[in-house]
């Protein structure tokens, strides 16, 4: 299922690991990462909140990218799941992007994977309504509404 | 035959200078993100300008703040009205002065930065905002892009860096087709660059770093 495709990403030199989150922030599958840490769960929440903010404005984020000199994170956002890949450096950019597009297309066409993930699909703005928010988040979410 | 181009390649002050020194009678039309502006020349003088809702000298000053936009110069077209009576060189001087006036040092710093960034292929506009997403200045006078969603993007990006025990990222981008935004800290501000959605960051990041130097 998704394991094979995550392995494809993992085989790229410089990739530390990948994780697939559902729209509820649940981990569907992962490779190469210390995934049970609180930070990973929060990562999903923040990405889903930001995605939800755009959905509330009638737009859909398809991709997030974070650049540091020695770290690169790319997140592919679909209607059903988030695919997050963490790399040691943005130098792997070209090959990684091609691979991610292939993996994404295959995951979206994988009937079993999509069937399993379907139960996790929920309202994209869920994370704007539920959870713990800091003061700034609360203020901005009010303005967004 | 009309002269066409983009302000990225030929700046408006140069275009005005060219038409005036050649003693042209012509209409210069500028299209910027769907808004149209025009400047009319008669015998080498700027005699009329429009840039909704501005007319006359004000329109010229607002047009001078644009760093990109398609332009067309059509010879022989006369102005529908005469609203400008200042000589073209004084008009240009006053326009440049107005751009720099509100905060001379900071503004000229940003104007220089904008002029560098706007020459990079794929960059459509640049906004300077604070952490609350409030607009400080922009490469265009279109301020509709400034809204709480940018403040939220900046805040969640900083939250993500914190949970991953990393510094604030040098660049953060999100693609919400047909828009793509890049966020980067700049002094006490954030720059928000709007790109063509297909622009590859690895191509323009080195150019952006160069522009920041």
């Amino acid at each position: 299922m998704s394991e094979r495709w995550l392995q494809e990403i993992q085989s790229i030199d410089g990739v530390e690991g990948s994780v697939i989150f559902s729209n509820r922030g649940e981990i569907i599958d992962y490779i190469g990462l210390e995934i049970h840490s609180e930070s990973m769960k929060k990562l999903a929440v923040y990405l889903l909140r930001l995605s939800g903010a755009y959905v509330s404005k009638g737009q859909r984020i398809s991709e997030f990218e974070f650049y540091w000199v020695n770290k690169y994170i790319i997140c592919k956002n679909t209607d059903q799941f988030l695919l997050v890949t963490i790399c040691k450096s943005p130098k792997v950019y070209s090959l990684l992007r091609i691979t991610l597009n292939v993996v994404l297309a295959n995951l979206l066409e994988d009937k079993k994977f999509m069937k399993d993930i379907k139960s996790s699909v929920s309202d994209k703005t869920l994370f704007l309504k539920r959870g713990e928010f800091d003061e700034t988040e609360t203020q901005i979410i009010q303005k967004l509404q | 035959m009309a002269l066409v181009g983009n302000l990225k390649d030929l700046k408006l002050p140069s275009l005005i200078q060219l038409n005036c020194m050649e003693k042209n009678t012509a209409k210069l039309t500028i299209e910027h993100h769907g808004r149209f502006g025009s400047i009319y020349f008669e015998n080498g003088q700027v005699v009329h300008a429009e840039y909704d809702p501005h007319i006359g000298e004000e329109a010229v000053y607002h047009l001078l703040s644009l760093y990109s936009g398609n332009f067309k110069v059509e010879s022989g077209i006369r102005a529908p009205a005469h609203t400008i009576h200042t000589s073209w060189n004084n008009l240009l001087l006053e326009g440049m002065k107005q751009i720099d006036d509100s905060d001379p040092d900071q503004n000229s710093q940003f104007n220089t930065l904008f002029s560098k960034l706007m020459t990079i292929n794929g960059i459509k506009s640049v906004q300077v905002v604070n952490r609350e997403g409030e607009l400080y200045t922009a490469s265009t006078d279109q301020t509709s892009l400034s809204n709480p969603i940018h403040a939220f993007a900046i805040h969640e990006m900083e939250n993500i860096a914190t949970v991953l025990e990393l510094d604030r990222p040098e660049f953060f981008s999100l693609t919400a087709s047909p828009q793509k935004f890049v966020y980067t800290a700049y002094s006490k501000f954030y720059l928000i660059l709007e790109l063509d959605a297909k622009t590859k960051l690895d191509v323009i990041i080195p150019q952006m770093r160069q522009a920041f130097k």
Side-chain angles (χ1 to χ4, degrees), chain A residues 46-143:
Chain A
Y46 292 135
L47 290 171
L48 288 165
R49 273 186 194 159
L50 192 45
S51 174
Y54 268 76
V55 169
S56 73
K57 292 287 165 200
Q59 284 185 288
R60 193 180 73 81
I61 298 180
S62 56
E63 193 175 283
F64 303 91
E65 290 175 89
F66 299 80
Y67 280 77
W68 291 266
V69 174
N70 293 313
K71 186 77 82 180
Y72 172 62
I73 299 176
I74 179 166
C75 170
K76 292 281 190 180
N77 185 29
T78 73
D79 287 337
Q80 294 80 15
F81 60 89
L82 289 171
L83 169 60
V84 180
T85 301
I86 300 180
C87 311
K88 284 178 191 151
S89 138
K91 285 175 187 165
V92 296
Y93 195 90
S94 300
L95 179 58
L96 178 64
R97 290 191 72 87
I98 295 165
T99 308
L100 286 176
N101 287 336
V102 171
V103 167
L104 209 63
N106 279 286
L107 285 175
L108 288 167
E109 282 176 12
D110 187 325
K111 286 179 185 166
K112 186 167 183 331
F113 174 76
M114 292 305 285
K115 193 181 167 191
D116 288 349
I117 213 166
K118 214 168 187 178
S119 59
S120 292
V121 176
S122 66
D123 174 9
K124 275 279 193 181
T125 61
L126 184 74
F127 278 83
L128 287 182
K129 300 167 189 162
R130 225 163 59 184
E132 287 177 22
F133 300 96
D134 62 36
E135 201 180 321
T136 309
E137 283 174 316
T138 308
Q139 283 172 2
I140 301 173
I141 290 168
Q142 277 172 358
K143 283 184 194 168

Side-chain angles (χ1 to χ4, degrees), chain A residues 38-40 42-43 45-47 49-51 53-57 59-69 71 73 86 90 93-94 97 128 133-134 136-137 140-141 143-144, chain B residues 131-132 134 147-157 159-161 163-164 166-181 183 199-203 205 209:
Chain A
E38 198 58 29
S39 58
M40 278 294 148
K42 284 187 176 171
L43 170 66
V45 169
Y46 292 135
L47 290 171
R49 273 186 194 159
L50 192 45
S51 174
Y54 268 76
V55 169
S56 73
K57 292 287 165 200
Q59 284 185 288
R60 193 180 73 81
I61 298 180
S62 56
E63 193 175 283
F64 303 91
E65 290 175 89
F66 299 80
Y67 280 77
W68 291 266
V69 174
K71 186 77 82 180
I73 299 176
I86 300 180
Y93 195 90
S94 300
R97 290 191 72 87
L128 287 182
F133 300 96
D134 62 36
T136 309
E137 283 174 316
I140 301 173
I141 290 168
K143 283 184 194 168
L144 284 171
Chain B
R131 281 191 74 252
E132 287 71 46
E134 292 160 351
N147 56 45
I149 214 153
H150 288 315
F152 200 56
I154 290 168
H155 187 70
E156 297 306 69
M157 174 261 284
N159 277 343
I160 287 168
V163 297
L164 296 175
L166 292 164
D167 294 332
R168 186 170 54 188
E170 185 184 8
F171 297 98
F172 164 60
S173 89
L174 55 86
T175 307
S177 210
Q179 292 173 303
K180 183 170 195 154
F181 294 107
Y183 299 79
T199 305
K200 299 282 181 284
L201 280 189
D202 63 328
V203 174
I205 280 180
R209 285 194 184 119

